[in-house]
Amino acid sequence: MKRIALGMGLSDYYDHGVARGIVKYARNKPDWRLYGQGWMFSPLEDLPAWDGDGVITRLEFAEQVSGLSGLTCPVVDVANAFVMPRVRRVSNDDYQTGRLAGRHFMEKGFSSFAYCGTSPGEWSRQRLSGFMHETGQPDLPVFLRPLRWWLLENSQ
């Protein structure tokens, strides 16, 4: 039996979508048992001490990364916020996402641009790079704030 931990809080739409996809995949894997938060998973007591076969997680903050550094099983990150040794990443093509956004605004006739994103955040850096490439404006104004800042702004 493979024991797979979902190290995400299931607190937003993104986490729920990832979890739905994992559950759908795991239904075809009778030898998989999923652990995590919520009624559909076996209880996950302590992720940093996990002794299972793998972890699928969303690493958005530095303390989460250091908290999982002792794991010996494979870890897959779905946030793409940090580039880490021994951690595999699964994400959309953030560079192309930035290009698509830039193309959309150019097709709508806009000629002045700015970028809002997170720092640190690999996904945000890649989107900015694609956006600058597509708009042809390498010196556009950039507004970067830590993810916690964005979360606090949206919770009020």
Side-chain angles (χ1 to χ4, degrees):
M1 180 70 62
K2 300 265 188 213
R3 297 175 306 130
I4 310 299
L6 273 64
M8 54 188 76
L10 301 177
S11 58
D12 62 24
Y13 185 76
Y14 182 81
D15 282 354
H16 282 269
V18 170
R20 275 192 306 275
I22 294 167
V23 167
K24 185 177 178 181
Y25 179 81
R27 283 188 185 132
N28 296 317
K29 299 286 185 186
D31 63 333
W32 275 35
R33 184 165 186 182
L34 298 177
Y35 293 77
Q37 297 179 7
W39 62 269
M40 70 176 111
F41 304 111
S42 297
L44 176 62
E45 300 299 327
D46 184 14
L47 185 58
W50 177 247
D51 190 27
D53 297 295
V55 174
I56 301 170
T57 188
R58 183 178 179 188
L59 300 172
E60 297 180 291
F61 303 104
E63 57 269 18
Q64 293 171 308
V65 175
S66 61
L68 298 181
S69 61
L71 291 176
T72 57
C73 64
V75 177
V76 177
D77 174 42
V78 297
N80 194 25
F82 301 95
V83 175
M84 300 158 287
R86 297 183 33 237
V87 174
R88 302 292 184 247
R89 292 177 290 158
V90 175
S91 67
N92 61 303
D93 188 332
D94 290 302
Y95 181 82
Q96 289 300 327
T97 299
R99 288 192 67 185
L100 183 64
R103 186 175 316 123
H104 171 77
F105 287 122
M106 300 222 10
E107 288 172 354
K108 295 295 180 187
F110 291 93
S111 59
S112 297
F113 304 98
Y115 179 81
C116 296
T118 65
S119 177
E122 182 63 25
W123 65 268
S124 185
R125 282 190 293 279
Q126 290 178 14
R127 288 182 187 185
L128 171 60
S129 181
F131 189 79
M132 288 190 307
H133 174 88
E134 194 65 31
T135 61
Q137 295 188 5
D139 297 324
L140 56 86
V142 175
F143 179 81
L144 297 176
R145 292 293 184 266
L147 182 58
R148 289 193 199 306
W149 184 90
W150 292 106
L151 295 173
L152 287 174
E153 283 294 308
N154 290 319
S155 67
Q156 297 176 1

